[in-house]
Amino acid sequence: MIELHAGKSSNSQRVSIVLEECGLPYRVRTYSLMDGEHRTPAFAALNPAGMVPVIVDDDGPGGSPLTLTQSGAIAVYLAEKAGRFLMVGNSLKSDILPVVKIGARAVHIPAVISWSHEHADPTPAARRRFYERRSMRQLERFIERIGGESPS
């Protein structure tokens, strides 16, 4: 059984979606990030960085328990475990992994600097539109590089 240690975050939500789509059995242990429930010695034993999500798979590779952090790494592990989404046969896994990176990447400093210099509207909706458009442009460029059709 896989145990997902999660909080109210997009990274935790991403792992929940992958677990559901893979059809793997799991249970969830939720943490209130606002209350600092993930800042305990017990959680630090799972992830010393103190960040969610974390999965603990009692039936990891070779039947040994596995603890894994970082939503992108967890998504790839779960897809491989379920034998889904990372089409190994005729398609190259190397074509799929950059898409995982694009989807899993958190907002980083260059995007924040770009946002603050290019936009006068500081509302959450305006920021969300900016990041969604930026992510879509990156995804379209990637798809064009691998010779696929752009989603727009």
Side-chain angles (χ1 to χ4, degrees), residues 101-151:
K101 181 180 177 192
I102 289 169
R105 189 168 59 205
V107 175
H108 57 284
I109 298 302
V112 172
I113 292 169
S114 175
W115 165 260
S116 62
H117 288 292
E118 294 177 19
H119 298 83
D121 183 1
T123 64
R127 285 193 303 270
R128 185 179 63 250
R129 283 191 306 275
F130 170 76
Y131 292 120
E132 286 171 353
R133 289 181 189 137
R134 185 172 178 275
S135 295
M136 185 54 79
R137 284 193 308 269
Q138 291 173 331
L139 183 58
E140 287 173 345
R141 283 194 299 269
F142 169 75
I143 291 171
E144 288 171 7
R145 276 200 317 267
I146 64 169
E149 291 186 28
S150 176

Side-chain angles (χ1 to χ4, degrees), residues 20-119:
E20 286 294 323
E21 291 297 322
C22 287
L24 296 168
Y26 69 100
R27 63 182 173 266
V28 180
R29 164 65 169 96
T30 58
Y31 297 82
S32 171
L33 304 180
M34 296 299 288
D35 293 336
E37 291 179 353
H38 61 302
R39 302 282 183 208
T40 64
F43 190 83
L46 297 172
N47 183 357
M51 297 167 48
V52 295
V54 175
I55 65 165
V56 178
D57 184 358
D58 293 335
D59 186 29
S64 299
L66 172 75
T67 300
L68 193 58
T69 65
Q70 300 295 323
S71 62
I74 293 169
V76 170
Y77 169 77
L78 295 172
E80 287 180 338
K81 180 177 179 87
R84 300 190 62 196
F85 306 118
L86 292 178
M87 307 165 281
V88 182
N90 293 332
S91 296
L92 295 174
K93 189 182 346 182
S94 61
D95 288 342
I96 305 299
L97 294 179
V99 175
V100 172
K101 181 180 177 192
I102 289 169
R105 189 168 59 205
V107 175
H108 57 284
I109 298 302
V112 172
I113 292 169
S114 175
W115 165 260
S116 62
H117 288 292
E118 294 177 19
H119 298 83

Side-chain angles (χ1 to χ4, degrees), residues 4 10 12-23 26:
L4 168 61
S10 59
S12 293
Q13 185 177 23
R14 183 176 302 119
V15 173
S16 295
I17 291 168
V18 173
L19 280 161
E20 286 294 323
E21 291 297 322
C22 287
Y26 69 100

